[in-house]
């Protein structure tokens, strides 16, 4: 059974699936008449300006058949699933500088690798396309943990405008370490790694 559609969905959407239940029918009649049948379609399924999932009842298009045939069942449920059309873009080389925020400013941190590639998608209905300046690549660093291990491998997080999906981050993590080791106190005391040190957020700049 072939679904027959008329019209087009909303330009910002596309048909993801069109399912007929059942998707086949039984035709009874003279052998000579049955031999003439090549395909059988449904009555028209309207798609005009469709922007949401919907279902409706259609029937086999009996006018396509020779007279005197019996078709069962006569009611077919057509379910149309639509999805937003989305635009995609990949931005390379987003990272250059490390800015610390959220718990004070820190200096002397290095993030490796320095280059990050981010892939995003957004609804085609969005009035303005996404640019690199709309994206912020962030990594959260705990200074106390960094002081203990000298370096940390941490996941990257991309902050994007509402409705924008992050489809890929390469690499997905970075290694953070202090560019220069802190000198040991002259009196031989252990370096101060107080647990009261705040967590900070390092932002890899997009400029």
């Amino acid at each position: 059974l072939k679904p027959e559609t008329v019209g087009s969905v909303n330009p910002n959407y596309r048909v993801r699936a069109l399912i007929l239940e059942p998707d086949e029918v039984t035709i009874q009649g003279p052998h000579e008449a049955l031999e003439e049948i090549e395909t059988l379609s449904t009555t028209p399924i309207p798609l005009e300006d469709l922007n949401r999932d919907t279902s409706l009842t259609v029937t086999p298009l009996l006018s396509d058949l020779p007279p005197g045939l019996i078709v069962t069942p006569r009611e077919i449920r057509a379910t149309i699933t639509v999805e937003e059309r989305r635009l995609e873009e990949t931005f390379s080389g987003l990272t250059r500088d490390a800015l610390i925020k959220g718990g004070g400013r820190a200096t002397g941190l290095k993030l490796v690798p320095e280059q990050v590639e981010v892939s995003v998608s957004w609804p085609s209905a969005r009035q303005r396309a996404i640019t690199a300046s709309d994206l912020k690549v962030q990594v959260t660093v705990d200074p106390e943990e960094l002081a203990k291990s000298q370096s940390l491998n941490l996941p990257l997080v991309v902050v994007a405008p509402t409705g924008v999906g992050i489809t890929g981050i390469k690499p997905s993590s970075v290694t953070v370490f202090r560019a220069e080791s802190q000198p040991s106190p002259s009196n031989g005391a252990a370096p101060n790694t107080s647990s009261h040190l705040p967590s900070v957020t390092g932002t890899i700049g997009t400029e």
Side-chain angles (χ1 to χ4, degrees), residues 47 69 75 89 97 100 127 130 136 159-160 168 184 191 205-206:
L47 302 180
L69 298 180
E75 291 189 349
E89 186 68 71
D97 301 321
I100 305 303
Q127 294 183 351
I130 296 299
K136 294 182 179 180
V159 179
S184 300
T206 60

Side-chain angles (χ1 to χ4, degrees), residues 12-13 31 64 88 135 167 170 175:
N12 294 318
Y13 290 79
H31 179 72
D64 286 349
E88 298 181 350
L135 307 175
T167 58
K170 295 181 181 179
T175 299

Side-chain angles (χ1 to χ4, degrees), residues 153-165:
N153 186 263
L154 300 171
L156 290 171
V157 175
V158 179
V159 179
T162 301
V164 176

Side-chain angles (χ1 to χ4, degrees), residues 4-182:
E4 183 71 28
T5 62
V6 291
S8 301
V9 298
N10 184 293
N12 294 318
Y13 290 79
R14 61 185 175 189
V15 176
R16 187 176 68 182
L18 198 168
I19 300 174
L20 300 179
E21 297 178 292
D23 60 0
E24 59 183 18
V25 295
T26 300
I27 305 175
Q28 296 176 305
H31 179 72
E32 296 79 6
L34 295 177
E35 286 186 334
E36 298 180 15
I37 303 172
E38 295 183 359
T39 60
L40 180 60
S41 301
T42 65
T43 51
I45 301 170
L47 302 180
E48 190 65 33
D49 210 31
L50 193 65
N51 61 4
R52 58 186 176 86
D53 298 346
T54 189
S55 61
L56 67 159
T57 299
V58 295
T59 64
L61 192 60
L62 301 182
S63 60
D64 286 349
L65 300 177
L69 298 180
I70 300 174
V71 180
T72 55
R74 295 290 293 272
E75 291 189 349
I76 307 296
R77 194 69 175 170
T79 301
I80 306 104
T81 304
V82 299
E83 62 184 2
E84 281 187 310
R85 291 185 181 273
R86 298 184 70 86
L87 304 177
E88 298 181 350
E89 186 68 71
T90 297
F91 300 96
S92 300
L94 294 185
T95 64
R96 289 183 182 175
D97 301 321
L99 304 177
I100 305 303
K101 65 179 182 180
R105 185 173 182 82
T107 58
L109 290 184
K110 185 173 180 62
L111 282 67
V112 177
E114 297 181 354
Q115 298 290 318
V116 174
E117 179 181 284
V118 177
S119 299
V120 298
S121 69
W122 64 93
S124 61
R126 196 177 194 274
Q127 294 183 351
R128 186 177 66 83
I130 296 299
T131 64
S133 62
D134 295 315
L135 307 175
K136 294 182 179 180
V137 185
Q138 299 179 335
V139 58
T140 300
V141 182
D142 185 333
E144 181 178 332
E145 292 299 319
L146 183 60
K148 291 178 182 178
S149 61
Q150 303 302 314
S151 67
L152 297 171
N153 186 263
L154 300 171
L156 290 171
V157 175
V158 179
V159 179
T162 301
V164 176
I166 308 303
T167 58
I169 309 174
K170 295 181 181 179
S172 60
S173 63
V174 293
T175 299
V176 182
F177 59 92
R178 293 178 295 177
E180 296 181 1
S181 299
Q182 293 181 354

